[in-house]
Amino acid sequence: MEYLKVNQLSFEKEGKKIKYSYELSQGIMPFFNMDNSLYVEYDRSIDQTPYNIAIVPFLANIMPISWFVGFDVFVEELDSIFYESLSILKKEFSKFHPKKNLKGTLHVGKLVPNKLDGNHTAQLFSGGLDSYDTFTRTFSKNPYLISILGADVPISDTDKWEKFKRFNSEEDLVNEDRLLYVESNLRDFYTYKLDLL
């Protein structure tokens, strides 16, 4: 059985960065860049985040890979709502890829039923047409707009990223205190062999 097991997640850079440490079975090593393990860095401290929530960004990136490559993933614990959401997402992927036999199972030591007290809205925001379309539909809810360095803009392109942030801050429609910035190597922690799939 091919597998990926999360050994640890750690908070670094004054609690703003989550770094994930994981081990892989031999057969799936060619798909991953082990010198560049997945990380997520926020623009504020998030070190009080419990493990079962802090593992969500990792699984959001890993589970689709797991389904297409066909390996199991092991984590200590996970938010139960996100766990259920992954099942729904896998069914949606199956609909769009009917010729693929999506394999790969998530094994969770403990499911945690978190209670959400807030009623805030958030969306991913790249500044493109789709983002603005979503934004106009949720405008009355004053959503948090989350932009990710490493998604559309490479981490190394600091010039483009600073221009993007400046554009956001000068946009009259955007409430500046609702802008959140994240950095992640979500396009660099795997190898070109994954793209070949």
Side-chain angles (χ1 to χ4, degrees):
M1 174 187 72
E2 301 296 346
Y3 70 89
L4 180 153
K5 180 184 177 188
V6 178
N7 292 326
Q8 181 184 14
L9 62 81
S10 56
F11 294 95
E12 300 177 355
K13 288 195 171 181
E14 299 173 348
K16 294 180 180 179
K17 180 177 182 178
I18 306 175
K19 189 171 181 186
Y20 301 95
S21 171
Y22 41 92
E23 65 182 73
L24 311 170
S25 59
Q26 195 70 35
I28 62 171
M29 281 188 174
F31 294 106
F32 293 92
N33 181 356
M34 293 308 287
D35 294 328
N36 197 6
S37 295
L38 184 66
Y39 73 85
V40 184
E41 186 173 337
Y42 299 85
D43 60 1
R44 62 202 66 203
S45 178
I46 43 87
D47 63 352
Q48 297 304 306
T49 307
Y51 178 101
N52 63 79
I53 298 290
I55 196 69
V56 165
F58 180 82
L59 292 175
N61 284 281
I62 289 293
M63 290 315 299
I65 298 171
S66 158
W67 301 331
F68 281 93
V69 174
F71 61 87
D72 287 3
V73 176
F74 294 82
V75 297
E76 290 176 21
E77 60 180 55
L78 178 61
D79 171 71
S80 58
I81 295 171
F82 186 75
Y83 181 80
E84 292 165 17
S85 297
L86 283 174
S87 297
I88 295 167
L89 184 63
K90 188 175 185 181
K91 287 176 187 168
E92 289 301 311
F93 268 86
S94 293
K95 286 180 194 173
F96 284 98
H97 301 277
K99 294 180 181 177
K100 285 273 188 190
N101 179 18
L102 299 186
K103 299 176 275 183
T105 303
L106 175 59
H107 302 270
V108 180
K110 177 183 175 187
L111 287 173
V112 180
N114 289 297
K115 184 172 185 259
L116 302 175
D117 293 328
N119 61 353
H120 297 283
T121 300
Q123 72 166 83
L124 292 174
F125 189 72
S126 66
L129 184 59
D130 290 341
S131 288
Y132 269 98
D133 180 56
T134 302
F135 180 51
T136 57
R137 287 186 278 117
T138 60
F139 185 77
S140 62
K141 297 178 181 178
N142 194 20
Y144 284 99
L145 304 178
I146 304 166
S147 301
I148 304 174
L149 175 61
D152 297 322
V153 178
I155 293 171
S156 60
D157 196 344
T158 52
D159 239 17
K160 190 172 185 180
W161 184 246
E162 288 307 316
K163 285 177 187 172
F164 170 73
K165 287 169 67 176
R166 188 166 53 252
F167 174 81
N168 284 349
S169 67
E170 293 170 355
E171 171 57 63
D172 291 337
L173 288 174
V174 174
N175 187 346
E176 195 167 355
D177 67 349
R178 306 297 268 188
L179 292 168
L180 301 173
Y181 295 103
V182 176
E183 177 186 312
S184 179
N185 63 341
L186 52 91
R187 300 250 191 245
D188 302 319
F189 76 94
Y190 56 82
T191 68
Y192 73 94
K193 293 191 175 185
L194 191 63
D195 291 329
L196 297 178
L197 293 177

